[in-house]
Amino acid sequence: MSQKNLFTKSALAVAVAIVSSQAYSAGFQLNEFSSSGLGRAYSGEGAVADNAGSASRNPATIMMFDRPSFSGGAVFVDPDVNISGTSPSGRSTDADNIAPTAWVPNLHFVAPINEQFGWGASVTSNYGLATEFNNDYTAGSMGGKTDLTTLNLNLSGAYRLNNNWSFGLGFDAVYAKAKIERYAGDLPQLIAGNPSSPLTPAQRRAIGSLPGDTQIAHLKGDEWGYGWNAGILYEIDKDNRYGFTYRSEIKIDFDGDYKSNLPSAYNPLLSNFGLPAGTNGQTVPGSLTLNLPEMWELSGYNKVAPQWAIHYSLTYTSWSQFQELKATGNNGQTLFYKDESFKDAYRIALGTTYFMDKNWTFRTGIAFDDSPVPADNRSISIPDQDRFWISAGTTYAFNDDASVDLGVSYMHGQHVEINEGPYTFQSEGKAWLYGMNFNYAF
């Protein structure tokens, strides 16, 4: 291997080390598990118990149901996230609508066994993300394609101690699938044009001639992880109740594919500079551990008038458990490493419900999501930011057994600046969310 080829591939490996580890470098928690919850900005979810979906948030609410109940539907997410800026090369880094639309489905079922015991099951998605840049995007080494999808299968049981106290416990099985692609963009030209870099004229020509759509990283994997959740429901009376819920950390040990154009013969040298390991352009097995954080939530529901109720929540997510991202090969060698240093984050929500008559119920809510990503760790692959929610929704009951929920939310993120690699970006995002669920009690 010539020194020219070694330096060319080493320079591109810097981008791999920096950006391929951005797959999980933002808050990627999902709340979209019901359409009634969407309509109140997911306020009071551990205590409202207006349909079977509540059991996936607080299994103790199973004891609020006196007959088997089903809820199924989906939330459509329509984001509008834009990136702007200029590369040191002078090329524009503007990109519009980098986050694609997505459907987030949900299915729930709860059933009482007797006056003291009940059980429930649900299928939801608690985590997910996606961003897509064109293959020839100027800052393709920082953007590319990032995709994480999860499926959460939950089975829960509940016990009513007395008229005031109920307890619930659930088991979670989470299937996660991830893929990352990154492209050269104008990074080769920036490296070749750096007057302080120790490149010969031939090396500059070699690295500067790489097309922008050259794929410099491709990683993918899928795996199962397991955890548990628990909840407590305290009922003062039928109109006033409070919930406390806990969801455990879930560790996903990905065993997937890793590919690098670096020559494996130079791995001892590359590791001294913190560069990823080479695989001679071949796909090899690699492993990575992702820790999905634990979560606590306090919720309340109070019917303050015959036709009015208020509900509220405070959620605390222990994102500080996500401190690093480290991929290793079969022999224990570090393929890449990045310090993440996430911080714990909170969510606060407040809403109200109006019971107009036996057929129509209306609700609304507001919420604030605190971003767990420190300013120094923001990435354009997921340009996370603090978010404000405003929501509205309705339920129409066809009869005592069947009803349909409709919900809509507008989510607005703050304007942020992102410093990543040699680039500086500005990002601003918003999203509309639309949900519909059908509910049936047997």
Side-chain angles (χ1 to χ4, degrees):
M1 178 67 64
S2 68
Q3 289 299 310
K4 178 181 78 171
N5 289 336
L6 172 61
F7 188 88
T8 299
K9 294 181 178 181
S10 299
L12 289 178
V14 175
V16 179
I18 294 173
V19 305
S20 67
S21 59
Q22 296 293 335
Y24 312 111
S25 64
F28 45 89
Q29 193 171 40
L30 298 177
N31 282 301
E32 291 74 28
F33 64 90
S34 78
S35 298
S36 60
L38 179 68
R40 55 177 169 260
Y42 298 101
S43 58
E45 289 306 307
V48 174
D50 54 353
N51 59 60
S54 64
S56 68
R57 196 72 163 208
N58 182 359
T61 61
I62 292 173
M63 301 315 301
M64 294 290 296
F65 296 85
D66 57 7
R67 53 182 173 153
S69 299
F70 163 85
S71 180
V75 175
F76 178 70
V77 183
D78 184 15
D80 182 13
V81 182
N82 303 315
I83 299 292
S84 62
T86 303
S87 167
S89 68
R91 295 173 56 185
S92 171
T93 58
D94 293 358
D96 294 334
N97 298 319
I98 66 169
T101 59
W103 287 95
V104 184
N106 63 85
L107 290 172
H108 310 276
F109 180 78
V110 299
I113 298 173
N114 52 42
E115 292 184 354
Q116 282 189 297
F117 294 95
W119 69 278
S122 66
V123 181
T124 58
S125 180
N126 293 333
Y127 299 91
L129 61 86
T131 51
E132 295 181 359
F133 294 82
N134 293 332
N135 293 357
D136 59 353
Y137 177 58
T138 299
S141 57
M142 307 295 153
K145 294 178 176 63
T146 302
D147 186 50
L148 170 69
T149 56
T150 65
L151 179 70
N152 188 329
L153 306 179
N154 175 262
L155 182 64
S156 302
Y159 168 71
R160 178 178 286 278
L161 178 66
N162 53 40
N163 290 334
N164 303 112
W165 293 97
S166 297
F167 304 89
L169 184 65
F171 170 76
D172 292 296
V174 177
Y175 174 74
K177 185 176 182 180
K179 182 176 75 172
I180 308 164
E181 294 179 356
R182 296 292 183 264
Y183 298 86
D186 70 351
L187 183 62
Q189 288 74 43
L190 294 179
I191 295 173
N194 185 352
S196 63
S197 61
L199 293 174
T200 66
Q203 291 170 337
R204 291 178 187 273
R205 288 192 297 271
I207 193 170
S209 64
L210 285 174
D213 61 356
T214 301
Q215 190 176 82
I216 63 173
H218 180 83
L219 302 99
K220 64 179 181 179
D222 61 283
E223 193 54 78
W224 286 88
Y226 305 95
W228 60 279
N229 63 299
I232 301 172
L233 182 69
Y234 177 69
E235 301 171 68
I236 298 177
D237 52 42
K238 66 183 182 67
D239 293 330
N240 298 276
R241 50 188 177 268
Y242 305 92
F244 173 72
T245 59
Y246 171 78
R247 186 174 297 275
S248 75
E249 175 188 13
I250 296 178
K251 185 170 73 170
I252 308 285
D253 292 319
F254 283 103
D255 291 316
D257 297 327
Y258 168 81
K259 181 179 179 181
S260 170
N261 288 327
L262 292 171
S264 59
Y266 288 92
N267 282 343
L269 174 64
L270 297 173
S271 62
N272 292 333
F273 296 95
L275 299 177
T279 64
N280 302 310
Q282 302 298 312
T283 298
V284 300
S287 61
L288 180 148
T289 296
L290 173 66
N291 295 311
L292 301 179
E294 58 186 352
M295 183 184 75
W296 295 265
E297 184 174 32
L298 285 170
S299 304
Y301 172 89
N302 305 103
K303 197 168 186 180
V304 295
Q307 291 182 285
W308 288 94
I310 60 171
H311 25 81
Y312 37 88
S313 295
L314 176 63
T315 307
Y316 184 84
T317 304
S318 186
W319 279 109
S320 61
Q321 293 168 325
F322 185 40
Q323 288 295 301
E324 65 178 20
L325 195 66
K326 183 178 181 180
T328 58
N330 285 346
N331 59 359
Q333 180 187 20
T334 298
L335 300 176
F336 60 80
Y337 173 87
K338 185 177 184 296
D339 175 45
E340 295 291 351
S341 299
F342 270 32
K343 63 182 181 69
D344 294 344
Y346 67 90
R347 185 179 195 273
I348 187 168
L350 173 66
T352 184
T353 296
Y354 173 63
F355 305 94
M356 190 175 83
D357 54 35
K358 62 180 296 184
N359 299 110
W360 288 99
T361 300
F362 297 93
R363 57 185 64 88
T364 188
I366 58 173
F368 175 78
D369 271 325
D370 176 40
S371 172
V373 183
D376 293 342
N377 291 65
R378 292 191 184 115
S379 167
I380 63 167
S381 58
I382 295 294
D384 199 54
Q385 53 205 245
D386 294 342
R387 293 171 294 272
F388 177 78
W389 293 59
I390 182 167
S391 306
T394 186
T395 295
Y396 179 75
F398 301 98
N399 48 50
D400 291 339
D401 302 325
S403 65
V404 63
D405 300 325
L406 298 174
V408 60
S409 288
Y410 174 73
M411 186 171 60
H412 185 79
Q414 67 176 151
H415 182 86
V416 296
E417 183 174 287
I418 301 169
N419 295 297
E420 191 174 10
Y423 307 98
T424 298
F425 310 92
Q426 289 76 43
S427 174
E428 188 171 8
K430 57 182 180 290
W432 284 94
L433 298 87
Y434 310 92
M436 182 172 70
N437 270 63
F438 175 74
N439 313 301
Y440 191 82
F442 298 90

